[in-house]
Amino acid sequence: MSFASDVKDELIEKSELARAMGGMKPCCIHAEMYGIFLFCRDFTSREICIKTEHEQVAKLFAAYAGNITGASYKPVVTSSGKYRVDIKKPEERAAVLEYFGHTGAEVNRRMYRSNIEDECCMAALLRGAFLSCGTITDPQKDYHLEFVMAHKVLCDDLLKLITEIHLPDEDGTVDLSRREFEPKYILRKGVHVVYFKDSESIENILTFMGAPDAALEVMGTRMYKDMRNRVNRKMNFENANSGRAFDAAYRQIEAIRFIEEAKGLGFLPDELRELAILRLENEDFTLGDLADNVKEPISKSGVNHRLQKILETAEGLGWKG
Ligand SMILES: [Zn+2]
């Protein structure tokens, strides 16, 4: 099953549980229903219909339609394997539209705020909308959550609603001046898309809609990716450093060989000669290794200083390193 499908399962499961336990206010149940109907494929006096890949969403749509009209509806499977629920009788369609304050004759499909009684209902409406027209990419592949619809005005209404959402701080206070979500908009092949691309917004919107488990999964994926990136960066850094160290060692060896040929290593003062021989015999030694292996222990910077002197001596003898 896809990640999107898991998210919808979780939303429906938690919503059903809340309703069964009396944990969802009537205003929010109404808003969730509205979200599902308003953002479904057709919502006019001529046709009210949902078409979805998710069987549970189709069943929920059918159940909610039945709650309004008193009739009974069943999803049918289309030739493309989707689930479709039609409200076929005109009087039943009229009842559904009227239930939400729509006439069915509107030129533009839009969101009527009369269906959102309070702040609490926003989450429910968004959940319904996501069940109807939303999808989310597996966070392993990409961070992307979107709502897709055919109506520009409705899309604008949704954008506006999302920017009005306020999440409480940890101490429960709400900062009304802060904008929680910055949804993006794109017109894609003739449909209007409201979307989020950053993992933090996606985690917050999933939690807000009522899918905390999915939010945790996105968060876990993000943390894992961050950690892997940090490890990779560290390894690249170390590789680059060891490359530089190798270049330096190579240069020192060239200089020592030059001195050896020009004057013999006896030309060098004792402390430099000892280090020069150590360097020649141990090409892969780091500064630390060299420091640990000279007779009289010195610091890494002491070793570096002596190597520098060896280079200068070679240069003094005409080495063009
Ligand atoms: Zn409410």
Side-chain angles (χ1 to χ4, degrees), residues 81-100:
K82 291 190 174 179
Y83 298 90
R84 186 184 166 117
V85 182
D86 263 297
I87 300 179
K88 293 208 173 95
K89 291 185 180 158
E91 63 272 22
E92 290 172 5
R93 286 198 294 273
V96 171
L97 289 163
E98 198 197 328
Y99 187 80
F100 297 113

Side-chain angles (χ1 to χ4, degrees), residues 24-31 115-124:
M24 208 197 297
K25 291 199 242 169
C27 60
C28 295
I29 297 175
H30 181 93
N115 291 291
I116 307 169
E117 235 173 71
D118 219 331
E119 287 263 332
C120 60
C121 307
M122 282 172 145

Side-chain angles (χ1 to χ4, degrees), residues 58-263:
K59 282 185 175 166
L60 188 63
F61 180 95
Y64 277 155
N67 286 352
I68 298 168
T69 66
S72 133
Y73 307 93
K74 259 185 111 147
V76 292
V77 182
T78 67
S79 55
S80 59
K82 291 190 174 179
Y83 298 90
R84 186 184 166 117
V85 182
D86 263 297
I87 300 179
K88 293 208 173 95
K89 291 185 180 158
E91 63 272 22
E92 290 172 5
R93 286 198 294 273
V96 171
L97 289 163
E98 198 197 328
Y99 187 80
F100 297 113
H102 286 248
T103 64
E106 291 92 350
V107 179
N108 290 310
R109 195 190 303 187
R110 60 179 318 163
M111 188 189 296
Y112 290 162
R113 289 297 181 108
S114 51
N115 291 291
I116 307 169
E117 235 173 71
D118 219 331
E119 287 263 332
C120 60
C121 307
M122 282 172 145
L125 187 135
L126 210 59
R127 176 167 62 245
F130 184 81
L131 289 173
S132 250
C133 76
T135 190
I136 179 169
T137 307
D138 186 334
Q140 301 279 358
K141 296 190 192 112
D142 194 11
Y143 301 118
H144 189 96
L145 182 150
E146 66 180 27
F147 299 83
V148 183
M149 63 217 79
H151 310 272
K152 177 72 170 81
V153 179
L154 184 61
C155 185
D156 289 341
D157 289 345
L158 180 66
L159 278 167
K160 188 162 179 297
L161 181 90
I162 291 173
T163 55
E164 286 171 21
I165 293 170
H166 297 288
L167 303 178
D169 287 323
E170 271 165 31
D171 60 2
T173 57
V174 173
D175 179 359
L176 291 176
S177 66
R178 188 177 62 211
R179 195 178 262 207
E180 310 284 356
F181 296 109
E182 297 282 358
K184 295 191 165 62
Y185 165 80
I186 188 174
L187 177 64
R188 192 173 65 209
K189 292 179 191 161
V191 293
H192 305 276
V193 182
V194 172
Y195 69 98
F196 295 94
K197 279 229 74 87
D198 67 297
S199 56
E200 211 185 318
S201 295
I202 292 172
E203 289 155 33
N204 287 339
I205 207 110
L206 285 172
T207 308
F208 181 72
M209 290 193 301
D213 295 350
L216 276 176
E217 198 171 331
V218 175
M219 199 183 294
T221 308
R222 172 169 60 88
M223 284 161 68
Y224 173 75
K225 282 186 186 168
D226 283 354
M227 191 179 70
R228 200 180 47 194
N229 285 343
R230 270 206 302 280
V231 169
N232 282 342
R233 266 202 304 279
K234 190 161 177 282
M235 277 170 60
N236 288 341
F237 179 75
E238 278 169 1
N239 286 342
N241 272 352
S242 68
R244 273 199 291 281
F246 178 80
D247 288 347
Y250 182 78
R251 205 163 161 265
Q252 292 149 11
I253 288 163
E254 290 279 287
I256 295 164
R257 292 228 167 95
F258 184 87
I259 297 168
E260 196 175 21
E261 276 179 28
K263 296 273 181 186

